[in-house]
Amino acid sequence: MKNILELQNVHVEIEEAYVLQGVSFQVPEGQLVAILGRNGAGKTTTLESILGLWPPFDGDVAFKGESLLGVPPYKIAQKGIGYSPDSARIFSNLTVEENLRMGTLNQDSADLEYAYELFPLLKDHSANLGKSLSGGEQKLLALARAMVDKSNELLLIDEPTEGLSPENSQKVYRALDKVKERASVLLVADNLQLAEKFAEKFLVMANGVVEEKGNIEKLIENSEIAEKYLGTGVQ
Amino acid sequence: MISTLASALIDGLALSMLYFMIASGFSLIFGLEDIVNFAHGSFFMLGAFVSYEVVSYTGSFYLGLLAAGIAMAILAALVESGLLRRKFGNEMAIIMLTLGIMYIIHHGALLRYGAASSTYGTIPSYIQGTLKPGPIIINKYRLFIIVLGFIIAGGVFLFLNRTNVGLIVRAGIDDVDMAKALGANTKRTFTLVFAVGSALAGLGGAAAVGWIYASVDLGLNYLFFAFAIVVIGGLGSFKGTFYAALLAGIIHELFAYYIPFLAGPSLFILMAAVLLLKPEGLLGGATQ
């Protein structure tokens, strides 16, 4: 199976903090890979370094076999990578519809129907400003914005259910089920159940390195991994 | 009594539009790029002299206005892409660079024009003189500035709200890194906004020549005015800048007509009052 994304020995510094210390893994085409780890393990930085927001000072990031090093973030996104950050980061002074249009900049015309299919409640709020939504709704909007462009081949999704009500978490599960059919996903999972439910592969990060990785069955069968690196109640 | 009030309001609206033309670009540039462009007032002043020269040379008033806008857009695009872009993220370097540009333009203009004020030798006859509907006297040139200001405000509003580039500008004011991560070429957008914002300042300067005359002092004076209006309206808010300019211009002229000694400081009194009552400005945080 071909890899859509490959990180090789990626090192990243942020304001003199040595955050990623040689991260290597692959995302096979059509699969969902879950990243697990405690806070500060380097999960979000990994996603942001793929997008070029924190460019690696050593190592390589390749998308569909092509290195992304030195490529500006907007061009990386234009190659077909969607991104939903952990803190939503919606555009608070743009309407819901305009936020979704920001997710379709690579398309000639903005087709937002797919986003409304995934999260119907957003249609009811389409003319409302992003800042008028609840925290949970903002999170759903960020996910919809990452998923709305059907031409994206890889989605980077950071802690999609963190802080969500069980009802909204179910909406995220249904959306993940749908997007998995057409795109590869690198998912920072905010809980073990999310990874076990959707991922084919997993990797566990700690202190800026990948400590464990493999098929998801390995994680399910080996409770020591979760206990050692995630801790009860942490992830 | 009514004619005085009407004149004050007309003059106030005209002044508001000059304030708006310089402050709207200043606000957009600050909102999107986090740049306090100290050279922005100099673009206003230079636009005034470019227009004055072109009108003197060609006799065409509208060519003068157009030349001022285009010249400032080109100059600003060169400044942004050739100088400022290399120092993005380094606030002190940006301040020093824009201050340097301001001084170069200021002293260049001083060498060329001295301390004298200049106005157009010719403007179209239909914007000369006054209209007299009943007891009210309306200066036609000030009416022209009002119409020009509203046309520009409408154009910028449509640009921001009806185009993809406008959407990226507003998104970038909210969160520029997120806009990049979604595929927005913010570098190109920065240059465009810098150029358009400076073109508006140049156009404002050109429009000012027929009323308050072109002079080297315009640069520094209008930089302060722009700064105060952006603070009053709310940093990065286009609508806020428009309302603030309206308020500031009208208040200035009402004072000028009725309590003249308060006209000069009126803008800064208004700024202090807004900062006390609503520190984020009239529409702080709204980008539309």
Side-chain angles (χ1 to χ4, degrees):
Chain A
M1 186 175 281
K2 278 171 66 180
N3 293 322
I4 193 162
L5 181 76
E6 187 156 3
L7 275 73
Q8 284 183 341
N9 197 30
V10 167
H11 295 256
V12 172
E13 261 187 8
I14 300 176
E15 292 163 4
E16 295 178 14
Y18 189 12
V19 182
L20 299 187
Q21 305 178 11
V23 170
S24 302
F25 65 88
Q26 298 84 32
V27 177
E29 242 176 41
Q31 293 202 347
L32 188 149
V33 175
I35 307 179
L36 294 149
R38 294 171 192 266
N39 286 341
K43 298 167 292 177
T44 295
T45 305
T46 299
L47 299 195
E48 292 184 344
S49 69
I50 294 166
L51 286 163
L53 295 173
W54 298 112
F57 68 85
D58 196 11
D60 193 23
V61 177
F63 177 62
K64 295 201 293 186
E66 192 185 331
S67 174
L68 299 179
L69 290 190
V71 180
Y74 79 93
K75 281 196 177 162
I76 293 175
Q78 287 175 357
K79 287 177 187 292
I81 301 179
Y83 175 47
S84 172
D86 59 343
S87 52
R89 287 177 69 175
I90 60 151
F91 302 108
S92 54
N93 290 301
L94 267 53
T95 64
V96 167
E97 185 186 319
E98 288 170 335
N99 266 280
L100 293 174
R101 277 174 55 205
M102 283 298 294
T104 63
L105 292 176
N106 299 338
Q107 295 180 342
D108 291 333
S109 61
D111 178 10
L112 309 183
E113 281 312 307
Y114 184 58
Y116 294 139
E117 265 175 44
L118 293 173
F119 300 105
L121 76 98
L122 294 178
K123 192 156 195 171
D124 303 332
H125 294 293
S126 62
N128 297 348
L129 290 181
K131 64 185 173 190
S132 72
L133 302 181
S134 69
E137 289 167 342
Q138 290 189 13
K139 194 108 182 174
L140 299 185
L141 175 57
L143 276 164
R145 188 180 58 185
M147 295 171 175
V148 63
D149 186 343
K150 282 184 177 172
S151 67
N152 281 340
E153 294 174 71
L154 173 67
L155 298 177
L156 308 179
I157 300 177
D158 200 349
E159 304 196 334
T161 55
E162 193 202 17
L164 291 189
S165 64
E167 189 191 344
N168 278 339
S169 294
Q170 287 302 320
K171 288 172 186 165
V172 173
Y173 290 170
R174 282 196 291 274
L176 279 173
D177 255 339
K178 277 192 185 176
V179 294
K180 265 194 72 180
E181 292 168 9
R182 61 164 187 81
S184 312
V185 181
L186 179 60
L187 172 83
V188 174
D190 40 288
N191 60 71
L192 207 51
Q193 293 70 32
L194 183 65
E196 290 175 354
K197 188 171 171 63
F198 291 101
E200 279 87 15
K201 292 183 183 299
F202 80 98
L203 53 107
V204 176
M205 292 185 69
N207 300 317
V209 295
V210 175
E211 292 285 0
E212 292 280 350
K213 61 182 171 182
N215 291 330
I216 197 69
E217 291 77 17
K218 178 181 170 187
L219 183 68
I220 295 169
E221 289 161 8
N222 189 348
S223 60
E224 281 178 17
I225 296 175
E227 278 168 25
K228 183 174 176 187
Y229 295 110
L230 308 177
T232 309
V234 176
Q235 287 286 336
Chain B
M1 179 67 186
I2 289 201
S3 65
T4 308
L5 181 63
S7 296
L9 290 175
I10 294 288
D11 287 0
L13 269 178
L15 185 63
S16 298
M17 292 304 122
L18 292 183
Y19 283 167
F20 169 72
M21 282 186 257
I22 187 167
S24 55
F26 191 77
S27 172
L28 285 176
I29 291 165
F30 178 81
L32 183 64
E33 306 179 48
D34 259 349
I35 288 176
V36 178
N37 178 18
F38 285 94
H40 199 71
S42 303
F43 293 150
F44 183 86
M45 177 263 285
L46 201 55
F49 280 116
V50 166
S51 181
Y52 168 74
E53 294 285 4
V54 171
V55 173
S56 301
Y57 188 73
T58 65
S60 169
F61 172 70
Y62 290 106
L63 199 59
L65 293 187
L66 196 64
I70 291 172
M72 290 313 104
I74 293 171
L75 178 63
L78 291 173
V79 164
E80 196 272 350
S81 56
L83 288 175
L84 303 183
R85 188 181 293 174
R86 296 161 197 267
K87 296 293 175 191
F88 275 159
N90 184 342
E91 286 175 21
M92 188 49 71
I94 296 279
I95 288 171
M96 296 312 290
L97 272 173
T98 57
L99 271 175
I101 294 161
M102 181 186 90
Y103 274 102
I104 290 168
I105 294 174
H106 181 87
H107 286 281
L110 208 54
L111 280 174
R112 170 76 177 84
Y113 300 102
S117 299
S118 313
T119 189
Y120 296 126
T122 173
I123 57 172
S125 57
Y126 54 86
I127 51 175
Q128 289 180 26
T130 55
L131 292 171
K132 291 174 186 161
I136 300 166
I137 299 169
I138 299 172
N139 181 299
K140 285 191 203 168
Y141 190 80
R142 287 167 212 180
L143 196 58
F144 164 77
I145 291 175
I146 294 168
V147 172
L148 180 69
F150 274 102
I151 289 171
I152 287 172
V156 176
F157 184 80
L158 287 176
F159 164 73
L160 287 174
N161 290 281
R162 296 279 183 272
T163 68
N164 259 357
V165 181
L167 180 68
I168 291 170
V169 170
R170 289 161 50 220
I173 289 173
D174 259 6
D175 185 341
V176 75
D177 278 341
M178 197 61 225
K180 280 184 210 169
L182 293 171
N185 183 350
T186 51
K187 200 182 274 187
R188 197 171 58 194
T189 310
F190 279 9
T191 307
L192 179 76
V193 166
F194 206 85
V196 170
S198 304
L200 293 180
L203 204 53
V209 177
W211 178 19
I212 53 177
Y213 291 23
S215 71
V216 175
D217 292 341
L218 280 182
L220 208 51
N221 290 343
Y222 272 74
L223 174 68
F224 288 134
F225 298 159
F227 197 82
I229 284 161
V230 168
V231 171
I232 293 167
L235 299 175
S237 165
F238 175 76
K239 271 187 193 169
T241 302
F242 183 74
Y243 295 138
L246 275 183
L247 204 59
I250 289 170
I251 288 175
H252 181 279
E253 289 303 308
L254 285 173
F255 277 129
Y257 274 77
Y258 294 106
I259 318 172
F261 75 94
L262 280 178
S266 65
L267 178 57
F268 299 97
I269 294 170
L270 179 64
M271 181 175 77
V274 169
L275 283 175
L276 277 173
L277 298 171
K278 204 165 182 293
E280 71 277 19
L282 297 177
L283 292 179
T287 56
Q288 291 188 27

